Amino acid sequence: MSASTASGSDDDYRSRAQQSPLASQRAKQGGAPSEANSKGRFAGYFPLGYKEGFSQWWASIPAAAAEHRVLSFVPYLRQPPTQTQTDSAPPLSNGTPMPVSNDSSKEATPVKTSSSTDPYGPRYWHSNLVKLSGKNRALNEFSVERLNEVTDQNLVMLHGYGAGLGFFYKNFEGLSRVKGWKVYALDLLGMGRSSRPPFRLHAKDRQGSITEAENWFIDALEEWRVQRKIDRFTLLGHSLGGYMAVAYALKYPGHLNKLILASPVGIPEDPYAVNADMPEPENSTLTNEFTQDQDDTVSTSNPEIPESAKTGDKNNFLNARSKAAAAASDGQPGEKNTPTAPRKPIPKWLTYLWDANISPFSLVRWSGPFGPRLVSGWTSRRFSHLPPDQAQALHDYSYSLFRQRGSGEYALSYILAPGAFARSPLIRRIQGIGRQLIAPDGSVTSSISTAERRRENGVPVVLMYGENDWMDIQGGYAAVRKMTEERNNVLQNASAEERQNDHGFAKVMVIANAGHHMYLEGWEEFNEIMRKEMDEVSEREKRRSNSR
């Protein structure tokens, strides 16, 4: 695909895109005939009609074009740059991996905004493919930096399971307002529009497989950091990206000045998921991600969305809503005195597919022309609070990613058990963030004596949840307690100066009227909180530099 394909006009894009899942719902509400309206009870779960789905499958919008359309909704960026070097396309018929092109003609042209059109600028927007060592390894990168300013700090954003950097489209403009910061968003290796090399494990034991699967993602992030010559940065990870952010902080210490975990997966411990024989757990949180309606979590103001599109299954995993609002001791709302909801069994077929390493995206790929209709079951609920054109663009973007060749998704069954509980829960190790001994060369190798190594002086950790998040917020409060206990132990005999220089604070924050995707559902409050956290980093790092 040429670069011009991704940067074509919006009219050209819309001519290729068909009716959105929400359009079917609106037609049904208005009494207009629609194919989805005549297909029985399954239309409520998969609102896109068969003909509409076939049209979308036939149109086969390239992932680069779909990403370009989503990013066109970023304020002051109507013509975003979009690199097309990965030639993002569905699996090749011969089964070979998707190639990573070195064609310089496919490199995106950076876009600059002027002060006359950008009240918070001028800013420089860039899309790039960062090639890594090895065969077919590269990360898709989107960045924003402020012109005529010295970049003192860097923010790196990681998306969740099967998603892509385009999901942060409501955050790029707001977060890049902070002076002195450059904002990066990355597609994880094997996901989004990053390259999709075959995923293979060599470890034979359980823990070795878990570690190798984690390293597959975080080693790529570290190599990207080295290539970009970034010493220290703030890392934001959502859901699976939050899990990987913790794993990165533990394996590569000394490079983070703040860690922000947005509804991270894998914190709570579950006896089923950590069992060596792996009898799978009997309740599901991952199922909620694909079945919970958006209106269960977000108060929408879009008048064009009918009530039929707002009715969900009322999932409320572990009473997360009441936890966010309940009073508790020690200034942590919702930490105690909250009843536990009964467990919801996982369908046996889902457990079988998960153990067989068959992902939800495998089903989308195998379903061919029915793929868009399957995806509509997720997108019609996830994006129901958005204007129709944005919901349509995100549906097309999601489908264009879901149908890509399987790669990083196959690592998930080694990291998470069915139900999205971690096989190696983060609650067992999260207290090690910011507390490791580092050698002069920055490594954590044990071959160097303790006397030659220095201990990190803590990393601030912020855990963010939506008010109606299906992820268990109690895991966040438990993580804060573990990190606070570790800080108290480390500073028990510390001097006044050591206590003052320690930055190992942790806290939980709740985004009102939002669910698991609070960066999208409660984006205004999310951006405001993020700007304050970024300002705090800037002030602290200035004091740190002045004290040297």
Side-chain angles (χ1 to χ4, degrees):
M1 183 181 67
S2 66
S4 61
T5 304
S7 59
S9 68
D10 291 349
D11 291 339
D12 177 66
Y13 178 93
R14 282 192 289 268
S15 68
R16 304 183 63 178
Q18 305 300 317
Q19 188 178 25
S20 72
L22 288 179
S24 296
Q25 292 279 17
R26 295 184 182 106
K28 179 179 178 180
Q29 180 72 8
S34 73
E35 186 182 6
N37 195 15
S38 62
K39 294 303 179 182
R41 61 190 180 92
F42 289 104
Y45 294 100
F46 308 108
L48 192 67
Y50 288 112
K51 290 182 180 178
E52 298 161 349
F54 181 85
S55 297
Q56 290 189 6
W57 172 79
W58 184 260
S60 187
I61 297 172
E67 178 187 287
H68 179 86
R69 173 58 175 163
V70 170
L71 294 181
S72 71
F73 291 105
V74 176
Y76 320 115
L77 188 64
R78 293 306 179 188
Q79 289 297 323
T82 306
Q83 66 83 11
T84 59
Q85 294 186 60
T86 52
D87 289 332
S88 300
L92 302 180
S93 58
N94 60 6
T96 58
M98 177 180 64
V100 177
S101 172
N102 291 316
D103 187 353
S104 59
S105 66
K106 295 184 178 181
E107 294 180 357
T109 302
V111 174
K112 296 180 182 179
T113 58
S114 66
S115 57
S116 60
T117 60
D118 184 351
Y120 301 101
R123 286 174 280 193
Y124 175 98
W125 312 74
H126 192 201
S127 174
N128 192 36
L129 185 73
V130 182
K131 297 178 179 63
L132 308 178
S133 62
K135 184 179 180 180
N136 196 42
R137 296 178 70 250
L139 296 185
N140 184 37
E141 170 198 280
F142 182 76
S143 62
V144 190
E145 63 181 311
R146 303 179 62 80
L147 293 174
N148 306 321
E149 292 182 9
V150 176
T151 299
D152 298 316
Q153 303 297 331
N154 296 280
L155 172 67
V156 178
M157 308 168 71
L158 302 179
H159 61 78
Y161 176 50
L165 60 83
F167 279 55
F168 293 117
Y169 78 103
K170 283 190 173 293
N171 313 119
F172 292 132
E173 191 280 322
L175 301 186
S176 61
R177 294 179 188 180
V178 184
K179 294 184 177 180
W181 282 74
K182 183 171 184 177
V183 176
Y184 293 93
L186 302 176
D187 283 339
L188 293 170
L189 183 65
M191 295 185 182
R193 290 207 307 119
S194 290
S195 66
R196 298 188 172 228
F199 174 77
R200 300 186 181 95
L201 282 182
H202 304 286
K204 302 299 182 182
D205 63 294
R206 175 187 175 87
Q207 185 55 50
S209 297
I210 295 172
T211 301
E212 191 173 342
E214 293 176 355
N215 291 344
W216 200 79
F217 296 102
I218 64 178
D219 288 352
L221 174 59
E222 172 62 6
E223 188 175 350
W224 171 88
R225 181 197 67 81
V226 172
Q227 283 204 34
R228 284 289 178 252
K229 297 181 173 58
I230 297 174
D231 181 29
R232 291 168 59 83
F233 62 100
T234 294
L235 182 58
L236 163 66
H238 170 253
S239 196
L240 176 66
Y243 179 102
M244 294 304 168
V246 172
Y248 176 86
L250 293 173
K251 183 175 182 181
Y252 296 105
H255 297 297
L256 298 185
N257 47 36
K258 180 169 284 188
L259 180 61
I260 303 175
L261 308 175
S263 192
V265 72
I267 289 183
E269 184 162 349
D270 180 85
Y272 298 95
V274 299
N275 189 288
D277 296 328
M278 292 197 298
E280 303 301 344
E282 296 178 0
N283 68 311
S284 174
T285 58
L286 187 61
T287 300
N288 284 302
E289 173 64 11
F290 289 89
T291 61
Q292 185 189 53
D293 271 83
Q294 187 62 39
D295 193 63
D296 283 347
T297 59
V298 180
S299 297
T300 177
S301 58
N302 186 353
E304 297 188 45
I305 299 176
E307 292 302 317
S308 59
K310 301 177 184 178
T311 303
D313 53 15
K314 307 305 180 186
N315 282 331
N316 185 14
F317 176 64
L318 295 184
N319 289 327
R321 300 177 195 175
S322 60
K323 288 176 183 178
S329 60
D330 301 326
Q332 294 284 12
E335 185 177 357
K336 295 181 180 180
N337 301 324
T338 304
T340 301
R343 288 189 160 201
K344 181 179 180 180
I346 295 180
K348 291 184 178 180
W349 63 266
L350 180 59
T351 298
Y352 172 80
L353 293 177
W354 190 264
D355 290 343
N357 217 353
I358 298 174
S359 75
F361 312 115
S362 299
L363 302 180
V364 172
R365 290 188 290 268
W366 294 344
S367 62
F370 299 103
R373 191 163 192 249
L374 292 179
V375 174
S376 73
W378 184 76
T379 58
S380 64
R381 293 165 171 80
R382 235 359 107 229
F383 309 132
S384 64
H385 65 295
L386 296 171
D389 55 346
Q390 296 182 32
Q392 171 69 64
L394 285 170
H395 168 78
D396 293 332
Y397 178 57
S398 299
Y399 175 60
S400 73
L401 298 183
F402 293 174
R403 70 196 297 257
Q404 299 294 310
R405 179 181 180 85
S407 176
E409 69 198 63
Y410 298 137
L412 267 295
S413 63
Y414 298 95
I415 295 172
L416 305 176
F421 283 104
R423 300 193 188 279
S424 178
L426 297 180
I427 194 64
R428 294 181 172 183
R429 42 188 169 139
I430 198 168
Q431 70 276 10
I433 294 176
R435 301 299 175 188
Q436 299 188 69
L437 292 171
I438 306 177
D441 63 355
S443 68
V444 292
T445 177
S446 59
S447 61
I448 301 177
S449 65
T450 302
E452 297 180 69
R453 293 185 287 172
R454 65 174 178 84
R455 185 178 295 278
E456 290 182 285
N457 61 345
V459 173
V461 178
V462 181
L463 295 105
M464 302 173 68
Y465 293 86
E467 182 181 13
N468 305 302
D469 207 320
W470 60 258
M471 198 68 73
D472 187 9
I473 195 174
Q474 288 300 302
Y477 290 126
V480 169
R481 289 196 297 271
K482 289 282 294 260
M483 289 183 280
T484 301
E485 290 171 2
E486 183 68 16
R487 179 175 186 269
N488 293 337
N489 291 335
V490 169
L491 298 180
Q492 187 173 7
N493 299 314
S495 65
E497 182 180 1
E498 289 173 330
R499 289 179 177 274
Q500 183 178 1
N501 293 332
D502 189 88
H503 306 299
F505 300 96
K507 61 183 177 182
V508 171
M509 304 193 73
V510 178
I511 305 297
N513 298 320
H516 182 56
H517 297 266
M518 79 290 292
Y519 61 92
L520 182 60
E521 301 156 354
W523 61 274
E524 291 174 299
E525 183 179 358
F526 178 87
N527 289 348
E528 182 179 357
I529 290 176
M530 282 294 302
R531 286 193 291 265
K532 291 179 180 178
E533 295 297 330
M534 294 164 70
D535 285 336
E536 188 278 330
V537 170
S538 298
E539 293 299 320
R540 174 163 45 84
E541 291 301 306
K542 286 180 182 178
R543 294 194 299 268
R544 180 170 170 262
S545 299
N546 293 335
S547 63
R548 289 178 177 177

